[in-house]
Amino acid sequence: MTAPKHASRAVVFAYHNVGVRCIKVLLAGGVDIALVVTHTDNPKETIWFESVAALCRDEGIAYITPSDATTPELLAQVKAAQPDFLFSFYYRHMLPASILAVAPAYNMHGSLLPQFRGRAPVNWAVLHGATQSGATLHEMTVKPDAGAIVAQTAVPILPDDTAFDVFGKVAVAAEQTLWSVLPALLAGTAPRQSNDLTLGGYFGGRKAEDGRIDWSQPAQSIYNLQRAVAPPYPGAFTDIHGTRYVIERARLSRRAAPGLPLGLTVEDNCIFGVCGDGRMLAITALTAGGLGVTASQLQTSLAGSTSAP
Protein backbone atom coordinates (compact mmCIF):
# COMPACT_ATOMS: atom_id res chain seq x y z
CA MET A 1 0.00 0.00 0.00
CA THR A 2 1.35 3.42 -0.97
CA ALA A 3 0.68 6.38 1.32
CA PRO A 4 -1.19 9.33 -0.20
CA LYS A 5 0.86 12.40 -1.24
CA HIS A 6 -0.93 14.58 1.31
CA ALA A 7 -1.72 12.80 4.55
CA SER A 8 -5.40 12.62 5.39
CA ARG A 9 -6.40 13.50 8.93
CA ALA A 10 -8.68 11.24 10.94
CA VAL A 11 -10.47 10.95 14.25
CA VAL A 12 -10.79 7.29 15.23
CA PHE A 13 -13.30 5.73 17.62
CA ALA A 14 -11.85 2.36 18.55
CA TYR A 15 -11.67 -0.49 21.06
CA HIS A 16 -10.71 -4.17 21.21
CA ASN A 17 -8.39 -6.12 18.89
CA VAL A 18 -10.10 -4.82 15.76
CA GLY A 19 -9.47 -1.29 16.97
CA VAL A 20 -5.78 -1.99 17.51
CA ARG A 21 -5.29 -3.71 14.16
CA CYS A 22 -7.15 -1.08 12.16
CA ILE A 23 -5.35 1.85 13.81
CA LYS A 24 -2.08 0.18 12.82
CA VAL A 25 -3.32 -0.05 9.23
CA LEU A 26 -4.17 3.66 9.19
CA LEU A 27 -0.71 4.51 10.51
CA ALA A 28 0.93 2.27 7.91
CA GLY A 29 -1.17 3.99 5.24
CA GLY A 30 0.13 7.41 6.21
CA VAL A 31 -3.05 8.65 7.87
CA ASP A 32 -2.56 11.41 10.44
CA ILE A 33 -4.60 10.29 13.45
CA ALA A 34 -5.40 13.50 15.28
CA LEU A 35 -7.44 11.91 18.06
CA VAL A 36 -8.58 8.48 19.24
CA VAL A 37 -11.76 8.06 21.26
CA THR A 38 -11.79 4.79 23.19
CA HIS A 39 -13.18 3.22 26.37
CA THR A 40 -11.98 2.75 29.91
CA ASP A 41 -11.88 -1.00 30.58
CA ASN A 42 -14.79 -2.28 32.66
CA PRO A 43 -13.42 -3.91 35.85
CA LYS A 44 -16.35 -6.35 35.80
CA GLU A 45 -15.39 -7.60 32.33
CA THR A 46 -12.75 -10.18 31.46
CA ILE A 47 -10.25 -8.15 29.42
CA TRP A 48 -8.73 -10.71 27.08
CA PHE A 49 -8.15 -8.34 24.17
CA GLU A 50 -5.53 -5.75 23.24
CA SER A 51 -5.66 -2.16 24.48
CA VAL A 52 -6.27 0.74 22.12
CA ALA A 53 -5.20 3.15 24.89
CA ALA A 54 -1.88 1.32 25.27
CA LEU A 55 -1.29 1.51 21.52
CA CYS A 56 -1.98 5.25 21.56
CA ARG A 57 0.52 5.74 24.38
CA ASP A 58 3.14 3.76 22.47
CA GLU A 59 2.53 5.73 19.26
CA GLY A 60 2.14 9.14 20.89
CA ILE A 61 -1.45 9.56 19.69
CA ALA A 62 -3.79 11.75 21.71
CA TYR A 63 -6.71 9.77 23.11
CA ILE A 64 -9.72 10.32 25.36
CA THR A 65 -12.16 7.97 27.12
CA PRO A 66 -15.52 9.74 27.45
CA SER A 67 -18.35 7.75 29.00
CA ASP A 68 -20.91 9.37 26.69
CA ALA A 69 -20.60 9.84 22.93
CA THR A 70 -23.37 12.43 22.73
CA THR A 71 -21.94 15.30 24.78
CA PRO A 72 -21.26 18.77 23.34
CA GLU A 73 -17.73 18.50 24.74
CA LEU A 74 -16.93 15.44 22.63
CA LEU A 75 -18.42 17.03 19.53
CA ALA A 76 -16.27 20.11 20.08
CA GLN A 77 -13.12 17.97 20.41
CA VAL A 78 -13.90 16.08 17.23
CA LYS A 79 -14.53 19.30 15.32
CA ALA A 80 -11.36 20.88 16.69
CA ALA A 81 -9.33 18.01 15.22
CA GLN A 82 -10.54 19.06 11.73
CA PRO A 83 -10.64 15.49 10.40
CA ASP A 84 -11.00 14.51 6.77
CA PHE A 85 -12.40 11.15 7.89
CA LEU A 86 -14.01 9.52 10.90
CA PHE A 87 -13.48 5.82 11.56
CA SER A 88 -15.16 3.52 14.07
CA PHE A 89 -13.45 0.21 14.82
CA TYR A 90 -15.41 -1.78 17.42
CA TYR A 91 -16.25 1.33 19.41
CA ARG A 92 -19.15 0.40 21.68
CA HIS A 93 -21.28 3.56 21.60
CA MET A 94 -23.52 4.73 18.80
CA LEU A 95 -22.27 7.97 17.27
CA PRO A 96 -24.90 10.73 17.04
CA ALA A 97 -25.79 12.53 13.83
CA SER A 98 -23.93 15.63 15.01
CA ILE A 99 -20.62 13.76 15.02
CA LEU A 100 -21.32 11.87 11.80
CA ALA A 101 -21.86 15.23 10.09
CA VAL A 102 -18.30 16.39 10.84
CA ALA A 103 -16.62 14.28 8.13
CA PRO A 104 -17.22 11.15 6.02
CA ALA A 105 -17.52 8.32 8.53
CA TYR A 106 -16.79 4.60 8.15
CA ASN A 107 -17.36 1.66 10.49
CA MET A 108 -15.78 -1.80 10.59
CA HIS A 109 -18.41 -4.41 11.43
CA GLY A 110 -17.67 -8.01 12.38
CA SER A 111 -19.94 -9.79 9.92
CA LEU A 112 -20.67 -9.99 6.22
CA LEU A 113 -23.30 -7.26 6.09
CA PRO A 114 -26.22 -7.23 5.78
CA GLN A 115 -26.02 -10.46 7.78
CA PHE A 116 -25.88 -10.16 11.60
CA ARG A 117 -26.24 -6.42 11.97
CA GLY A 118 -26.05 -5.01 15.49
CA ARG A 119 -24.25 -6.22 18.60
CA ALA A 120 -22.06 -9.31 19.13
CA PRO A 121 -22.18 -10.39 15.47
CA VAL A 122 -19.60 -13.18 15.83
CA ASN A 123 -21.38 -14.76 18.80
CA TRP A 124 -24.73 -14.61 17.02
CA ALA A 125 -23.25 -16.12 13.85
CA VAL A 126 -21.87 -19.11 15.76
CA LEU A 127 -25.10 -19.49 17.75
CA HIS A 128 -27.12 -19.64 14.53
CA GLY A 129 -24.82 -22.22 12.95
CA ALA A 130 -23.46 -19.93 10.22
CA THR A 131 -20.64 -21.39 8.13
CA GLN A 132 -18.92 -18.09 7.42
CA SER A 133 -18.45 -14.65 8.86
CA GLY A 134 -16.10 -11.81 8.05
CA ALA A 135 -15.50 -8.08 8.28
CA THR A 136 -17.30 -5.27 6.47
CA LEU A 137 -16.21 -1.65 6.11
CA HIS A 138 -19.27 0.49 5.49
CA GLU A 139 -20.43 4.08 5.53
CA MET A 140 -21.83 5.12 8.89
CA THR A 141 -25.38 6.38 9.21
CA VAL A 142 -27.51 7.11 12.27
CA LYS A 143 -29.21 3.75 11.72
CA PRO A 144 -26.65 1.11 12.81
CA ASP A 145 -24.91 -1.01 10.19
CA ALA A 146 -27.12 0.39 7.45
CA GLY A 147 -24.72 2.42 5.30
CA ALA A 148 -23.34 1.47 1.90
CA ILE A 149 -20.75 -1.32 1.89
CA VAL A 150 -17.22 -0.29 0.89
CA ALA A 151 -15.34 -3.60 1.25
CA GLN A 152 -15.72 -7.06 2.78
CA THR A 153 -13.53 -10.07 3.58
CA ALA A 154 -15.04 -13.47 4.38
CA VAL A 155 -13.69 -16.11 6.78
CA PRO A 156 -14.96 -19.66 7.40
CA ILE A 157 -16.63 -20.83 10.58
CA LEU A 158 -15.57 -24.46 11.00
CA PRO A 159 -17.92 -26.94 12.73
CA ASP A 160 -16.04 -26.88 16.04
CA ASP A 161 -14.94 -23.22 16.06
CA THR A 162 -15.85 -21.23 19.14
CA ALA A 163 -16.73 -17.55 18.94
CA PHE A 164 -13.25 -16.81 20.25
CA ASP A 165 -11.74 -18.76 17.35
CA VAL A 166 -13.92 -16.92 14.85
CA PHE A 167 -13.23 -13.52 16.38
CA GLY A 168 -9.52 -14.08 15.80
CA LYS A 169 -10.23 -14.68 12.13
CA VAL A 170 -12.53 -11.65 11.92
CA ALA A 171 -9.87 -9.39 13.44
CA VAL A 172 -7.44 -10.44 10.68
CA ALA A 173 -10.20 -10.00 8.09
CA ALA A 174 -10.81 -6.46 9.36
CA GLU A 175 -7.13 -5.65 8.93
CA GLN A 176 -7.09 -7.10 5.42
CA THR A 177 -10.29 -5.29 4.45
CA LEU A 178 -9.03 -1.88 5.52
CA TRP A 179 -5.56 -2.47 4.10
CA SER A 180 -6.89 -3.36 0.66
CA VAL A 181 -9.35 -0.46 0.30
CA LEU A 182 -7.62 2.34 2.21
CA PRO A 183 -5.74 3.90 -0.75
CA ALA A 184 -8.94 4.13 -2.78
CA LEU A 185 -10.87 5.39 0.24
CA LEU A 186 -8.39 8.21 0.84
CA ALA A 187 -8.39 9.05 -2.86
CA GLY A 188 -12.19 9.19 -2.98
CA THR A 189 -12.45 6.33 -5.45
CA ALA A 190 -13.54 3.46 -3.17
CA PRO A 191 -16.50 1.44 -4.48
CA ARG A 192 -19.92 1.47 -2.87
CA GLN A 193 -22.32 -1.47 -2.73
CA SER A 194 -25.90 -1.37 -1.57
CA ASN A 195 -26.49 -2.73 1.94
CA ASP A 196 -29.81 -4.50 1.42
CA LEU A 197 -31.48 -4.42 4.82
CA THR A 198 -34.21 -6.80 3.66
CA LEU A 199 -31.56 -9.51 3.90
CA GLY A 200 -30.13 -10.72 7.19
CA GLY A 201 -31.34 -9.34 10.50
CA TYR A 202 -30.53 -7.07 13.42
CA PHE A 203 -29.35 -8.55 16.72
CA GLY A 204 -29.02 -6.98 20.16
CA GLY A 205 -26.37 -7.42 22.81
CA ARG A 206 -26.04 -10.63 24.81
CA LYS A 207 -26.09 -11.10 28.59
CA ALA A 208 -24.49 -13.82 30.69
CA GLU A 209 -27.95 -15.23 31.44
CA ASP A 210 -28.41 -15.91 27.72
CA GLY A 211 -25.98 -18.80 28.18
CA ARG A 212 -28.51 -20.90 30.12
CA ILE A 213 -28.95 -24.30 28.43
CA ASP A 214 -32.37 -25.62 27.54
CA TRP A 215 -31.67 -29.36 27.42
CA SER A 216 -34.89 -30.02 25.49
CA GLN A 217 -33.22 -28.45 22.44
CA PRO A 218 -31.42 -30.58 19.81
CA ALA A 219 -27.74 -31.35 20.42
CA GLN A 220 -26.57 -29.19 17.52
CA SER A 221 -28.41 -26.15 18.88
CA ILE A 222 -26.96 -26.65 22.37
CA TYR A 223 -23.50 -27.17 20.91
CA ASN A 224 -23.85 -23.96 18.90
CA LEU A 225 -24.74 -22.12 22.11
CA GLN A 226 -21.75 -23.62 23.91
CA ARG A 227 -19.41 -22.59 21.08
CA ALA A 228 -20.93 -19.11 20.90
CA VAL A 229 -20.31 -18.29 24.57
CA ALA A 230 -17.28 -20.46 25.41
CA PRO A 231 -14.45 -18.74 27.35
CA PRO A 232 -13.37 -16.00 27.42
CA TYR A 233 -17.10 -15.29 27.17
CA PRO A 234 -19.24 -16.22 30.23
CA GLY A 235 -20.06 -19.74 29.02
CA ALA A 236 -23.07 -22.03 28.56
CA PHE A 237 -24.37 -23.24 31.91
CA THR A 238 -26.87 -25.37 33.77
CA ASP A 239 -27.83 -25.29 37.46
CA ILE A 240 -27.99 -28.34 39.75
CA HIS A 241 -28.81 -28.03 43.48
CA GLY A 242 -27.98 -24.35 43.42
CA THR A 243 -24.58 -24.96 41.78
CA ARG A 244 -23.92 -23.46 38.39
CA TYR A 245 -22.00 -25.74 36.05
CA VAL A 246 -20.35 -24.09 33.05
CA ILE A 247 -19.42 -26.12 29.97
CA GLU A 248 -16.08 -24.75 28.81
CA ARG A 249 -15.23 -27.38 26.18
CA ALA A 250 -17.39 -29.98 24.46
CA ARG A 251 -17.89 -31.88 21.23
CA LEU A 252 -20.86 -33.53 19.60
CA SER A 253 -20.84 -37.18 20.61
CA ARG A 254 -21.56 -40.12 18.33
CA ARG A 255 -23.09 -41.97 21.29
CA ALA A 256 -26.86 -42.11 21.66
CA ALA A 257 -28.58 -41.61 25.00
CA PRO A 258 -31.50 -44.07 25.17
CA GLY A 259 -33.48 -43.68 28.37
CA LEU A 260 -31.17 -41.12 30.00
CA PRO A 261 -32.70 -38.00 31.54
CA LEU A 262 -31.99 -34.67 29.91
CA GLY A 263 -29.05 -32.68 31.22
CA LEU A 264 -25.66 -33.56 32.64
CA THR A 265 -24.82 -37.21 33.17
CA VAL A 266 -21.80 -39.44 33.76
CA GLU A 267 -21.20 -42.53 31.65
CA ASP A 268 -18.00 -44.65 31.73
CA ASN A 269 -16.35 -42.00 33.91
CA CYS A 270 -16.96 -39.35 31.24
CA ILE A 271 -19.25 -36.31 31.41
CA PHE A 272 -22.00 -35.94 28.83
CA GLY A 273 -24.93 -33.64 28.24
CA VAL A 274 -28.11 -35.39 27.13
CA CYS A 275 -30.10 -33.33 24.63
CA GLY A 276 -33.68 -33.24 23.48
CA ASP A 277 -33.12 -35.18 20.26
CA GLY A 278 -31.48 -38.11 22.05
CA ARG A 279 -27.97 -37.09 21.06
CA MET A 280 -25.26 -36.08 23.54
CA LEU A 281 -22.44 -33.61 24.00
CA ALA A 282 -19.14 -35.07 25.18
CA ILE A 283 -17.99 -32.52 27.76
CA THR A 284 -14.24 -32.33 28.25
CA ALA A 285 -14.09 -29.28 30.54
CA LEU A 286 -16.76 -28.52 33.12
CA THR A 287 -16.40 -25.93 35.88
CA ALA A 288 -18.30 -24.77 38.93
CA GLY A 289 -17.33 -21.61 40.73
CA GLY A 290 -14.32 -21.29 38.45
CA LEU A 291 -12.92 -24.72 39.44
CA GLY A 292 -12.74 -27.83 37.28
CA VAL A 293 -15.30 -30.55 37.97
CA THR A 294 -14.36 -34.21 37.52
CA ALA A 295 -16.71 -36.96 36.43
CA SER A 296 -16.68 -38.46 39.94
CA GLN A 297 -17.47 -35.10 41.54
CA LEU A 298 -20.37 -34.57 39.18
CA GLN A 299 -21.60 -38.12 39.79
CA THR A 300 -21.72 -37.41 43.52
CA SER A 301 -23.73 -34.26 42.90
CA LEU A 302 -26.14 -35.99 40.57
CA ALA A 303 -26.67 -38.84 43.02
CA GLY A 304 -28.29 -36.37 45.41
CA SER A 305 -30.92 -35.39 42.85
CA THR A 306 -34.15 -37.18 42.08
CA SER A 307 -35.10 -34.89 39.19
CA ALA A 308 -33.50 -33.82 35.94
CA PRO A 309 -31.54 -30.55 36.00
Side-chain angles (χ1 to χ4, degrees):
M1 176 171 57
T2 302
K5 293 181 180 179
H6 303 287
S8 295
R9 192 170 174 86
V11 170
V12 180
F13 297 78
Y15 195 58
H16 223 289
N17 291 353
V18 170
V20 169
R21 283 182 175 269
C22 289
I23 287 174
K24 289 181 177 181
V25 171
L26 293 182
L27 294 174
V31 174
D32 174 17
I33 301 178
L35 178 68
V36 169
V37 185
T38 187
H39 299 288
T40 300
D41 292 336
N42 184 345
K44 297 181 180 179
E45 182 178 355
T46 300
I47 307 300
W48 53 269
F49 41 83
E50 294 180 86
S51 169
V52 166
L55 174 64
C56 290
R57 290 192 292 268
D58 290 344
E59 296 290 344
I61 301 171
Y63 73 94
I64 56 176
T65 57
S67 59
D68 186 346
T70 64
T71 65
E73 291 78 11
L74 177 58
L75 176 60
Q77 287 174 293
V78 172
K79 285 183 174 179
Q82 298 182 312
D84 301 303
F85 295 93
L86 303 178
F87 291 99
S88 178
F89 304 132
Y90 267 64
Y91 188 67
R92 290 179 169 180
H93 295 326
M94 294 295 298
L95 299 185
S98 57
I99 287 181
L100 296 180
V102 172
Y106 299 90
N107 177 62
M108 186 68 72
H109 185 72
S111 79
L112 296 177
L113 290 179
Q115 299 293 321
F116 299 106
R117 303 188 305 277
R119 304 286 186 180
V122 169
N123 306 80
W124 283 113
V126 175
L127 180 67
H128 282 267
T131 58
Q132 68 172 358
S133 184
T136 301
L137 185 70
H138 66 94
E139 294 179 338
M140 292 187 75
T141 61
V142 174
K143 185 177 178 68
D145 305 325
I149 294 169
V150 176
Q152 291 183 314
T153 302
V155 298
I157 301 177
L158 303 182
D160 295 312
D161 278 346
T162 66
F164 178 74
D165 296 327
V166 179
F167 188 86
K169 301 179 189 182
V170 168
V172 175
E175 179 182 284
Q176 293 174 329
T177 300
L178 185 60
W179 176 265
S180 64
V181 80
L182 185 59
L185 192 68
L186 300 180
T189 60
R192 300 292 192 277
Q193 175 186 335
S194 174
N195 189 0
D196 187 351
L197 302 187
T198 65
L199 305 174
Y202 184 85
F203 295 82
R206 294 187 58 80
K207 305 180 295 296
E209 181 62 26
D210 295 331
R212 182 181 295 277
I213 298 169
D214 176 358
W215 291 107
S216 69
Q217 294 294 307
Q220 184 66 63
S221 296
I222 295 174
Y223 186 41
N224 288 348
L225 171 63
Q226 187 276 324
R227 295 189 301 125
V229 297
Y233 301 103
F237 65 88
T238 190
D239 293 334
I240 302 174
H241 294 313
T243 298
R244 178 153 297 182
Y245 292 91
V246 178
I247 302 175
E248 295 200 348
R249 290 195 307 275
R251 295 285 295 259
L252 285 172
S253 174
R254 292 187 176 89
R255 296 178 59 168
L260 293 176
L262 301 182
L264 295 179
T265 191
V266 177
E267 294 288 317
D268 300 328
N269 202 36
C270 295
I271 300 174
F272 293 92
V274 181
C275 307
D277 58 357
R279 300 179 66 194
M280 298 196 297
L281 299 186
I283 299 169
T284 53
L286 184 72
T287 63
L291 300 176
V293 176
T294 66
S296 60
Q297 289 171 331
L298 179 62
Q299 184 70 70
T300 300
S301 177
L302 294 173
S305 175
T306 58
S307 60

